[in-house]
Amino acid sequence: MFAPTRIYSGTPMAVLLTHAAQLLTLRAPHAGSGPRRGAQMRELGMVDDGALLILDGKIAAVGVTDEVAKQLPPGRASLEDIDCRGKVVLPGFVDSHTHPVFTAPRLIDFEKRISGAGYEEIAEAGGGIRTSLRGVREASTAGLAQHVLSALIQMSAQGTTTVEAKSGYGLSLEAEIKSLEAVREASRHWNGTVVPTLLGAHVVPPEYRSNPDEYVRLLCEELIPQVAGRELATFVDVFCERGAFSPERTQLIFRAAAGHKLGIRAHVCQLTAANLGPLLLFHPASLDHMDFVRDDDLPLLAASDTVATLLPAANYFLGLSTFPPARRLIDAGVAVALATDYNPGTAPTPSMPFVLSAACTQMKMLPAEAITAATYNGARALRLQHRKGSLEVGKDADVAIFDVEDYRELAYWFGVNRCSRTIAMGSSV
Ligand SMILES: [Zn+2]
């Protein structure tokens, strides 16, 4: 029996936030809802002495405190007032790339890597993604849901209100469906927003190693149709990489996903360069990692609405000396998002503020660019920009309050949680 650690009551409240030292609205600098690129990524729509009025889970007014206070409806006494003096208020983070459906940390891999083994070497030795298979296959749906919920709670404690959650450690029809059912179950007990993604194409499972085409057939003809039919996922993701799925097999899986009206995203260019042209023909919502993106592909990416989601926590945890090329991408006009990549093998962190720190110190993103990448562009990477990623009237009231006076401190402090309160759909998380 699934035993949640907390249950969301589901009663949105009227809330008034006032006197924020800095309210970062992330409102559109120009007309249109395209992802933010280039100089737009530095525009935070900041309001000094800012306020936000939340009614019925939506943002009802936003601006300077004096103006917003005038828009209070009758019955002010029923409002909850939150004094944000000395604090920064911003849209809740959108963590657009996570793998929360697993049961245990991978400590043997951790030690092996410290002793010098590489990512692919660990995978060859039976470690890596395959290590998590047994735990997920043997777990109950309720047991997995408990793990997912625990991760969601840790994420929201650090300001995250929207999480994309992938399956991908089951790698059989039953275990992938069970993983997505666990995501659905966990999301019912957390008042943030969860976007489920089918990552059946994470690696080829051991029982299909001699016949990967048969596994691709299973994905395309059985798993994707079942997941689509039961509305268990919004997106299909593929790990398109040497040792995982070739570009040709990736395209077969994309075609099946599109045929079932599911969105598309991919892990690509993490370990080796890939030709992005054929993948971009499928209009993926995002292409993630991008460490080895080729210069030739930058104009194509910049001309598309596909977001490049960068995952520096993985580089940090793997002890790499190189990080995703954020400057090259941003300066070429590519829309960039940041996410944790929360997973047991390469990025065991629920913390978007840590990702901001890594993006600024290791990838030379400016704090404002990193905040845009972690909010609005993250929402764009999940095609939720009409509801999430900025504080604008009519959008979901997803808000993070940080106990700092200047937005640059969000990326400056690390190893400490300065998030003092998280509000999702108008209610405290
Ligand atoms: Zn990933």
Side-chain angles (χ1 to χ4, degrees):
M1 185 62 195
F2 178 58
T5 51
R6 60 180 296 286
I7 295 179
Y8 165 49
S9 68
T11 317
M13 297 190 310
V15 181
L16 179 65
L17 286 74
T18 54
H19 299 297
Q22 296 179 340
L23 178 78
L24 313 181
T25 66
L26 275 291
R27 67 183 163 225
H30 314 287
S33 61
R36 308 277 157 81
R37 315 169 185 279
Q40 293 173 352
M41 289 189 68
R42 298 196 292 270
E43 296 177 32
L44 297 178
M46 187 161 75
V47 180
D48 294 336
D49 191 29
L52 197 66
L53 176 63
I54 298 168
L55 294 174
D56 298 327
K58 300 282 182 188
I59 296 169
V62 56
V64 293
T65 297
D66 283 352
E67 293 297 316
V68 171
K70 283 181 200 157
Q71 298 182 47
L72 284 181
R76 185 191 187 314
S78 67
L79 292 178
E80 183 189 7
D81 279 292
I82 304 175
D83 188 336
C84 297
R85 258 174 257 261
K87 294 180 166 52
V88 169
V89 175
L90 74 158
F93 294 125
V94 178
D95 191 348
S96 60
H97 182 137
T98 85
H99 305 252
V101 193
F102 62 89
T103 57
R106 293 216 293 257
L107 302 175
I108 295 171
D109 294 5
F110 184 47
E111 280 196 328
K112 268 191 189 163
R113 191 173 300 112
I114 291 166
S115 306
Y119 182 95
E120 289 172 297
E121 199 181 329
I122 288 170
E124 286 298 314
I129 292 163
R130 290 178 187 91
T131 315
S132 298
L133 274 190
R134 189 190 297 165
V136 169
R137 287 180 177 183
E138 289 176 357
S140 65
T141 308
L144 288 176
Q146 192 70 60
H147 281 280
V148 175
L149 180 60
S150 156
L152 294 173
I153 291 168
Q154 290 176 51
M155 290 167 179
S156 48
Q158 305 211 28
T160 297
T161 51
T162 299
V163 174
E164 185 255 15
K166 305 176 198 292
S167 66
Y169 296 118
L171 304 184
S172 69
L173 199 66
E174 300 72 25
E176 285 295 300
I177 286 174
K178 179 173 67 180
S179 296
L180 291 170
E181 287 171 342
V183 168
R184 175 175 285 181
E185 181 61 29
S187 70
R188 291 186 175 132
H189 299 271
W190 186 69
N191 61 335
T193 300
V194 178
V195 178
T197 292
L198 170 65
L199 179 57
H202 203 179
V203 291
V204 176
E207 54 273 30
Y208 288 95
R209 276 202 103 174
S210 59
N211 191 2
D213 286 328
E214 176 56 20
Y215 186 63
V216 173
R217 189 204 64 77
L218 176 83
L219 288 175
C220 295
E221 295 179 15
E222 297 183 47
L223 186 53
I224 288 172
Q226 286 194 33
V227 165
R230 292 184 53 197
E231 297 184 0
L232 281 169
T234 307
F235 289 98
V236 168
D237 192 346
V238 180
F239 189 18
C240 177
E241 188 59 75
R242 185 177 72 194
F245 292 85
S246 66
E248 294 71 28
R249 290 189 178 120
T250 299
Q251 290 171 60
L252 286 174
I253 298 163
F254 276 5
R255 203 161 290 133
H260 286 87
K261 308 236 175 327
L262 293 169
I264 285 164
R265 51 203 322 111
H267 290 63
V268 68
C269 298
Q270 181 182 5
L271 308 171
T272 57
N275 178 11
L276 299 184
L279 302 185
L280 285 169
L281 292 177
F282 290 88
H283 304 290
S286 73
L287 294 176
D288 300 24
H289 283 291
M290 303 292 263
D291 293 58
F292 290 90
V293 65
R294 302 178 321 163
D295 279 334
D296 291 357
D297 284 329
L298 296 184
L300 213 53
L301 267 173
S304 76
D305 273 354
T306 297
V307 174
T309 302
L310 309 183
L311 308 165
N315 301 60
Y316 164 83
F317 187 76
L318 291 171
L320 304 181
S321 54
T322 57
F323 279 76
R327 280 268 58 91
R328 203 151 60 83
L329 289 161
I330 293 171
D331 296 344
V334 178
V336 164
L338 288 166
T340 59
D341 195 16
Y342 176 79
N343 79 79
T346 63
T349 177
S351 173
M352 287 296 281
F354 171 75
V355 171
L356 298 189
S357 166
C360 293
T361 59
Q362 309 302 312
M363 290 151 60
K364 311 305 174 198
M365 288 175 75
L366 290 165
E369 292 173 329
I371 290 168
T372 300
T375 54
Y376 187 83
N377 278 2
R380 200 65 183 62
L382 297 179
R383 304 249 159 102
L384 286 177
Q385 66 279 3
H386 52 291
R387 285 174 54 197
K388 310 286 186 187
S390 63
L391 301 178
E392 295 178 272
V393 172
K395 281 195 163 185
D396 293 343
D398 292 352
V399 186
I401 304 172
F402 275 75
D403 196 7
V404 296
E405 292 190 8
D406 186 299
Y407 72 87
R408 292 170 293 189
E409 293 180 74
L410 296 176
Y412 173 87
W413 303 105
F414 76 101
V416 62
N417 184 15
R418 305 296 289 261
C419 179
S420 59
R421 188 156 175 171
T422 306
I423 295 169
M425 305 299 286
S427 300
S428 285
V429 184

